[in-house]
């Protein structure tokens, strides 16, 4: 119907949230169950400041006819909810927890603070989630600007093949099964240690995603147990995750136990912990009973204490600057042959190899010398190789020759 995040609230259109089939705000005591949602035009279900509820037996059949076909969005102020038995396929996160200070009233005016409402997301049980999320994590946690996510109990999660091909006839790849934190979508400040905390994740099976779990931003007092990777998956846990986010993490008192990876991919590993900025760290954490089966060889880590700080030499192993300017990073600069990660592009006019950005929080990934990936959480002005574009929030590919971009 022409209503998207880019056109939301413009030229007489309503907010894009109007395209959400089921939207609840400030509801106490609810149940949404036994539904099939097909080809929704925005998020399938959205809850703001809702509590003491149950979401169950929801099946999604999205085919990528619209952008942002998330399954279920649990946003600011939600607590004491059971979410179970979600399945099918979505064209974005199937289940997203979003503790974000919403400044774009045209997108979701009701996600602003309910009077006297606590914006934190907490006391939520998630179990029995199975399916496919095109091009995105299957389950995501994102929180910034002082909003906390804590007290989550997540279990029995598995990805699957697509039920039906997407609208373009293909089956888009999936870069991660679970995302814990993302260095994007913040306005005043990023999350601080302790604001994403007290979380348990158990019994996760991954076959169709490149990575099991990506941890960025912050993580504290977390248990991750029973992550099994095979098929396309080549890493159970990583702190890199440079897709759509500045990589690295601040992590404390996290236990990773009973992880297994079965993969012959050259880069296969059971877990990897690169830190990409000097203020990042891992402390008082453990890796217990981790197994990698690669090319017929089994490697077992019985117990490893995880206490790490930023190491430039280690970072250079993950960020490779080639003649084609291929780099998987938020932003980079090179001095004396070393690659430096810069965690954000500050407000104001900033140029990065022919690309000019004018909004905080926007980041760039150079895919090649002539192809650039840009993601922005808010409307931004992008000047790319001499051509200026007014962009809505979203993700774009810019091409130098021929000049132009695609969402």
């Amino acid at each position: 119907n022409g209503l998207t995040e880019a056109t939301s609230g413009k030229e007489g259109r309503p907010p894009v949230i109007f395209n959400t089939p089921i939207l609840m705000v400030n509801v106490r005591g609810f149940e949404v169950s036994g539904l099939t949602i097909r080809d929704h035009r925005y998020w399938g279900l959205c809850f703001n400041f809702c509590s003491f509820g149950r979401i169950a037996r929801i099946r999604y059949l999205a085919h990528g006819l619209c952008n942002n076909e998330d399954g279920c969005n649990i946003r600011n102020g939600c607590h004491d909810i059971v979410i179970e038995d979600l399945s099918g396929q979505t064209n974005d996160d199937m289940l997203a927890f979003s503790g974000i200070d919403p400044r774009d009233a045209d997108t979701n005016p009701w996600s602003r603070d309910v009077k006297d409402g606590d914006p934190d997301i907490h006391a939520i049980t998630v179990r029995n989630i199975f399916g496919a999320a095109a091009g995105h994590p299957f389950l995501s946690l994102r929180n910034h600007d002082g909003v906390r996510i804590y007290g989550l109990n997540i279990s029995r999660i598995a990805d699957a093949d697509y039920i039906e091909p997407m609208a373009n006839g293909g089956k888009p790849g999936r870069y991660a099964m679970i995302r814990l934190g993302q260095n994007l979508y913040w306005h005043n400040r990023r999350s601080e240690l302790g604001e994403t905390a007290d979380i348990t994740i158990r019994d996760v099976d991954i076959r169709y995603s490149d990575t099991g779990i990506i941890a960025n931003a912050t993580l504290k007092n977390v248990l991750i147990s029973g992550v099994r990777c095979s098929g396309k998956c080549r890493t159970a846990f990583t702190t890199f995750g440079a897709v759509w986010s500045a990589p690295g993490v601040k992590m404390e008192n996290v236990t990773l136990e009973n992880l297994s990876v079965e993969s012959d991919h050259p880069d296969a590993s059971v877990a990897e912990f690169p830190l990409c900025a000097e203020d990042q760290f891992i402390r008082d954490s453990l890796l217990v009973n981790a197994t990698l089966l690669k090319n017929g060889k089994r490697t077992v880590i019985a117990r490893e204490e995880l206490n790490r700080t930023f190491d430039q030499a280690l970072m250079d192993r993950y960020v490779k600057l080639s003649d084609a300017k291929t780099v998987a990073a938020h932003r980079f600069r090179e001095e004396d042959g070393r690659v430096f990660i810069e965690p954000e592009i500050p407000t104001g006019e900033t140029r990065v190899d022919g690309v000019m950005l004018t909004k905080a929080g926007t980041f760039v990934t150079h895919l090649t010398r002539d192809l650039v990936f840009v993601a922005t959480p808010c409307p931004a002005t992008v000047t790319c190789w001499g051509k200026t574009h007014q962009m809505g929030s979203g993700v774009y590919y810019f091409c130098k020759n021929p000049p132009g971009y695609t969402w």
Side-chain angles (χ1 to χ4, degrees):
N1 62 2
L3 182 57
T4 67
E5 286 188 349
T7 63
S8 180
K10 297 178 181 177
E11 299 178 352
R13 295 183 180 91
V16 68
I17 198 69
F18 275 48
N19 270 349
T20 298
I22 295 179
L23 169 67
M24 291 191 183
V25 183
N26 202 20
V27 177
R28 179 184 174 97
F30 66 91
E31 179 170 332
V32 179
S33 63
L35 303 178
T36 295
I37 301 177
R38 177 184 290 271
D39 292 326
H40 41 296
R41 295 179 295 192
Y42 199 53
W43 307 331
L45 309 174
C46 182
F47 301 87
N48 302 269
F49 291 91
C50 294
S51 60
F52 299 99
R54 180 172 179 257
I55 303 163
R57 293 181 294 111
I58 308 295
R59 186 169 186 256
Y60 301 98
L61 282 173
H63 297 84
L65 301 177
C66 300
N67 296 318
N68 302 102
E69 291 175 321
D70 293 47
C72 179
N73 264 272
I74 305 297
R75 301 182 74 83
N76 288 15
C78 288
H79 62 89
D80 291 282
I81 298 171
V82 173
I83 303 169
E84 57 188 345
D85 300 319
L86 307 186
S87 63
Q89 65 186 48
T90 55
N91 188 38
D92 213 311
D93 308 322
M94 181 167 285
L95 177 59
F97 294 89
S98 304
I100 298 170
D101 179 17
R103 296 303 177 91
D104 189 352
D106 290 335
T107 299
N108 189 1
W110 302 288
S111 62
R112 292 182 180 275
D113 290 355
V114 170
K115 185 178 181 181
D116 300 324
D118 179 358
D120 293 346
I121 299 170
H122 61 96
I124 295 179
T125 296
V126 177
R127 56 186 175 236
N128 299 335
I129 314 296
F130 177 81
H136 292 77
F138 192 66
L139 187 153
S140 298
L141 278 62
R142 303 175 177 95
N143 58 300
H144 292 289
D145 295 300
V147 180
R148 297 187 299 158
I149 295 180
Y150 65 94
L152 271 58
N153 192 331
I154 299 168
S155 63
R156 299 195 294 277
I157 311 295
D159 64 357
D161 200 359
Y162 292 94
I163 300 171
E164 300 170 354
M166 302 302 280
N168 62 6
K171 295 182 177 182
R174 293 166 252 176
Y175 71 86
M177 176 74 170
I178 297 175
R179 173 178 277 287
L180 302 177
Q182 187 168 6
N183 290 312
L184 191 59
Y185 306 113
W186 55 276
H187 295 277
N188 294 317
R189 67 167 177 83
R190 299 188 182 191
S191 64
E192 296 179 354
L193 187 66
E195 292 179 341
T196 308
D198 304 316
I199 296 166
T200 298
I201 300 173
R202 296 180 183 273
D203 200 4
V204 180
D205 285 283
I206 308 106
R207 295 183 60 222
Y208 296 91
S209 303
D210 293 338
T211 302
I213 299 173
I214 290 177
N216 291 150
T218 67
L219 211 57
K220 184 175 181 179
N221 301 340
V222 173
L223 171 64
I224 297 173
S225 179
V227 179
R228 296 171 291 274
C229 300
S230 59
K232 295 181 179 179
C233 185
R234 57 180 183 263
T235 302
F237 182 92
T238 182
T239 60
F240 192 53
V243 181
W244 295 12
S245 181
V249 72
K250 299 176 184 178
M251 192 169 95
E252 181 179 285
N253 192 29
V254 173
T255 297
L256 309 172
E257 65 177 21
N258 303 326
L259 310 185
S260 65
V261 175
E262 184 175 344
S263 173
D264 293 335
H265 192 280
D267 296 329
S269 63
V270 69
E272 51 190 29
F273 307 97
L275 302 175
C276 308
E278 292 183 357
D279 63 342
Q280 294 176 351
F281 56 83
I282 299 173
R283 63 193 181 206
D284 302 327
S285 297
L286 287 173
L287 177 64
V288 180
N289 190 28
T291 303
L292 172 66
L293 181 59
K294 180 177 178 180
N295 297 323
K297 180 181 178 182
R298 185 180 301 273
T299 303
V300 178
I301 301 174
R303 178 185 174 92
E304 179 181 344
E305 295 185 359
L306 303 175
N307 291 283
R308 306 188 181 193
T309 56
F310 175 75
D311 184 319
Q312 182 65 55
L314 180 63
M315 190 63 242
D316 288 343
R317 291 174 51 191
Y318 291 89
V319 180
K320 302 178 178 68
L321 187 64
S322 72
D323 291 338
K325 295 276 196 215
T326 300
V327 61
H330 191 164
R331 182 174 174 227
F332 72 91
R333 57 187 172 88
E334 183 185 19
E335 289 181 10
D336 300 325
R338 299 174 69 194
V339 178
F340 292 82
I341 305 302
E342 298 182 348
E344 67 188 76
I345 295 175
T347 302
E349 185 174 303
T350 304
R351 294 181 179 275
V352 183
D353 280 11
V355 182
M356 184 180 74
L357 303 144
T358 58
K359 285 287 184 180
T362 304
F363 71 89
V364 174
T365 296
H366 287 261
L367 301 179
T368 69
R369 185 188 303 275
D370 297 330
L371 184 64
V372 169
F373 175 93
V374 176
T376 174
C378 51
T381 300
V382 179
T383 300
C384 192
W385 292 297
K387 295 182 71 70
T388 298
H389 310 274
Q390 298 294 327
M391 319 304 300
S393 60
V395 179
Y396 305 90
Y397 292 91
F398 287 83
C399 187
K400 182 177 181 180
N401 188 23
Y405 71 92
T406 181
W407 198 94

